[in-house]
Amino acid sequence: MLTSPQSETRRHALVAALRESGAIHAPAIAEAFLSIPRELFIDHIYERDGRGWKRREKRDPLDEWLDLIYRDDALTTAVNRHNIPLSSSSQPSLMAHMLEALEVQPGQRVLEIGTGTGYNAALLAQIVGESGHVASLDIDASLVERARSHLAAAGFSCVQAMHADGRQGHAGQAPYDRIIATASSSCLPCAWYEQLAPGGRLVMPLEGSLQVGGFLVIEKEDEVVGRGMFRSTPLHFMALHTEGEEIRPYPEMPPDFPQKPVTTLVQVKANDPFLADVGNHAFKWYVQWAWPVEGELRITTMQSPDGKEALRLYDVNVHSIVHLVKNPDGSWNGHQRGDFPLWAQIYHLYHSYQDLGRPAPDAFRIHLESQRASLFVSHGDTSVYVRDLFGM
C-alpha cells in the first residue's frame, strides 16, 4: 500500500480529533482509520460553485489535497445532471459513530449497503480481519468498478463489491452478523432483517419525507424478534435509489396546486407555539412518521411576492396545500387548497407531539416480529404506536 509521511501525519491528527470528540472509542476502529489512507479511495471530488458544482481532481498539490481529504467532512464524488449529489465519501466522524454502534468483531460476516468509494468497506475489512468477510452492494455499476480498483490498491481485494439493488440485500451469502447501510431509507427493508443472523446487529440512517434522519440500531434477538433504538447523533445520508431512477431536487409544489379551490381559511395567532416549532428538528422527526402513510408531507419557508415571510405546507400525494403569510403584528393568515384536511391534520399532530412531551428521536423504539416493525414513542410508563416501518 503506497502512502506518504504527510498522509500518515494527517491520519493521526484525524484519529486524535475523532477520539477527542467521542466519535471513536474502540481501539480496532482507531487502528482502521490510522492504517487505511482515505486518499486511495478518492481521486476527485465535487465542490459547490454557486448553484452548481466544480470538479476538483487529485492532481492538486499533495499537501492541499490531503488537507481536503482529511477534513471531517463528507466529500461528494458524483452528481447528476440536476446537480443532485449521487455518491460521497461519508463524514469520518459519522462513519466512526456508525462503526462504534455496529460493534463489529474479528471473524464476522458483514453486509454493507452503499459501496460508494469503498473506503468504509475497507475499514470494515480491516476490523473483521482475514477470518471475516465483507460484502458491499451499490446500485451504480460504475461506482462499484471504481471501488474495486480502490480496494485493490489499498490491499483489500478480499472485499466482495457487487452491483446490486441494496434494498434486496444479498441472500446468497446470508445470514450476516452485521449489516450497515450508508444510504438513508424511509423504511426498514424486510430483506435486511431477514438476512440478519440471530444475535446480529443492523445500523442504518432512517429518514422520512421531511428529510430528518435518525440513527437506528437494531438487534435481532432470535429468528423473529428484535428491537431497535435511536442514537442521539443525527444522521443525514443520500437516499437509496433504484437502478435507472432519475434523482430530482426536493419536490416542489405541483403547478396545478394554486388553481385548486380554497377549502379552508387559516388564521394563526402571533403567540401560537406551533409557529416556533414547525421547523423544529424533533417535531419534524415525529410528524414525518405520524403523517398518514399514503402521504408525503413537505414544509418550506419562503418569501411571498411582496417580501413577507411565508410558510408552505403541502403533500404531493394527497394533493393539498396550506400557504400562510406573516402579518406585521406577528400573526399569520392564509388558506388551504385541496380536499385533504392538511391543516387540521398537522395541527392535530402538533398537539399530539406536545401531549407526548415533545419527544426527541432517541425517545422512539422499534419492536420487530414476524412481518411487522412497529415504531413506538415512549411517554412515561406507556408506549404510543406510530407506524409500521417494514417496507420493500
Side-chain angles (χ1 to χ4, degrees):
M1 185 189 306
L2 295 176
T3 183
S4 67
Q6 298 99 314
S7 171
E8 186 174 350
T9 298
R10 286 166 174 82
R11 275 179 271 142
H12 278 271
L14 175 63
V15 169
L18 296 179
R19 277 178 159 151
E20 185 176 357
S21 70
I24 287 182
H25 297 282
I29 295 175
E31 181 58 32
F33 276 97
L34 284 171
S35 62
I36 301 173
R38 192 185 189 196
E39 68 271 19
L40 294 183
F41 296 84
I42 304 170
D43 44 33
H44 69 271
I45 63 168
Y46 288 89
E47 295 182 308
R48 276 291 183 186
D49 183 20
R51 299 184 67 179
W53 296 85
K54 177 177 65 177
R55 183 176 168 117
R56 188 166 177 177
E57 302 288 345
K58 194 172 183 175
R59 62 175 176 269
D60 286 355
L62 179 61
D63 283 336
E64 183 180 339
W65 181 253
L66 291 176
D67 285 342
L68 184 64
I69 294 298
Y70 286 101
R71 291 189 319 210
D72 186 25
D73 287 331
L75 300 175
T76 300
T77 55
V79 298
N80 69 6
R81 66 188 184 93
H82 299 292
N83 283 327
I84 303 299
L86 295 179
S87 186
S88 69
S89 178
S90 303
Q91 185 177 355
S93 58
L94 290 186
M95 297 171 73
H97 277 296
M98 294 183 77
L99 291 171
E100 288 280 354
L102 194 64
E103 295 185 2
V104 63
Q105 302 297 320
Q108 289 186 327
R109 297 172 55 78
V110 181
L111 176 65
E112 179 190 42
I113 312 297
T115 309
T117 65
Y119 180 50
N120 195 63
L123 295 172
L124 289 165
Q126 174 74 16
I127 297 168
V128 302
E130 293 183 1
S131 60
H133 178 69
V134 176
S136 184
L137 311 178
D138 204 292
I139 197 67
D140 188 322
S142 63
L143 288 181
V144 172
E145 285 302 315
R146 285 200 293 273
R148 287 172 180 161
S149 176
H150 298 155
L151 287 160
F156 291 98
S157 298
C158 55
V159 172
Q160 188 177 8
M162 294 174 283
H163 171 222
D165 183 351
R167 286 190 181 91
Q168 305 305 315
H170 186 59
Q173 295 181 4
Y176 301 95
D177 302 299
R178 298 290 187 266
I179 297 177
I180 181 171
T182 58
S184 69
S185 174
S186 60
C187 68
L188 170 59
C190 295
W192 298 358
Y193 190 65
E194 291 168 358
Q195 293 169 25
L196 187 65
R201 181 173 281 222
L202 186 158
V203 173
M204 64 174 288
L206 185 75
E207 188 171 300
S209 68
L210 294 179
Q211 297 186 317
V212 180
F215 186 163
L216 176 58
V217 180
I218 288 174
E219 294 182 347
K220 192 171 185 179
E221 298 173 0
D222 56 31
E223 290 288 350
V224 176
V225 177
R227 58 189 175 91
M229 301 176 63
F230 292 90
R231 299 288 180 96
S232 57
T233 304
L235 294 183
H236 178 69
F237 280 78
M238 296 174 192
L240 280 172
H241 57 273
T242 56
E243 190 162 20
E245 178 184 358
E246 188 169 28
I247 309 302
R248 293 180 175 273
Y250 192 72
E252 297 184 1
M253 181 183 68
D256 64 323
F257 271 30
Q259 283 71 52
K260 290 181 176 292
V262 173
T263 54
T264 306
L265 296 177
V266 180
Q267 292 185 321
V268 187
K269 295 179 180 179
N271 61 353
D272 192 320
F274 172 80
L275 297 170
D277 281 336
V278 70
N280 177 279
H281 178 93
F283 173 63
K284 290 169 74 174
W285 166 263
Y286 169 72
V287 78
Q288 70 183 355
W289 303 120
W291 197 250
V293 173
E294 70 275 12
E296 194 167 346
L297 180 66
R298 300 285 191 264
I299 299 175
T300 59
T301 56
M302 54 190 300
Q303 279 194 333
S304 64
D306 57 358
K308 293 181 180 179
E309 190 176 347
L311 177 67
R312 179 178 286 166
L313 307 96
Y314 61 97
D315 189 316
V316 296
N317 290 353
V318 299
H319 306 290
S320 286
I321 180 171
V322 171
H323 186 81
L324 298 172
V325 176
K326 188 175 183 180
N327 298 313
D329 65 359
S331 66
W332 295 67
N333 66 275
H335 53 262
Q336 175 181 294
R337 296 178 184 271
D339 294 330
F340 179 79
L342 192 150
W343 178 250
Q345 180 70 28
I346 197 167
Y347 214 71
H348 166 72
L349 290 175
Y350 177 64
H351 285 296
S352 298
Y353 166 75
Q354 290 182 307
D355 292 342
L356 290 167
R358 303 163 60 86
D362 57 4
F364 288 72
R365 300 287 186 271
I366 299 176
H367 179 71
L368 301 109
E369 58 182 355
S370 186
Q371 300 299 312
R372 196 168 184 86
S374 300
L375 177 68
F376 291 89
V377 58
S378 301
H379 180 56
D381 296 330
T382 64
S383 294
V384 178
Y385 176 78
V386 180
R387 73 156 54 177
D388 180 18
L389 284 174
F390 264 148
M392 298 304 291

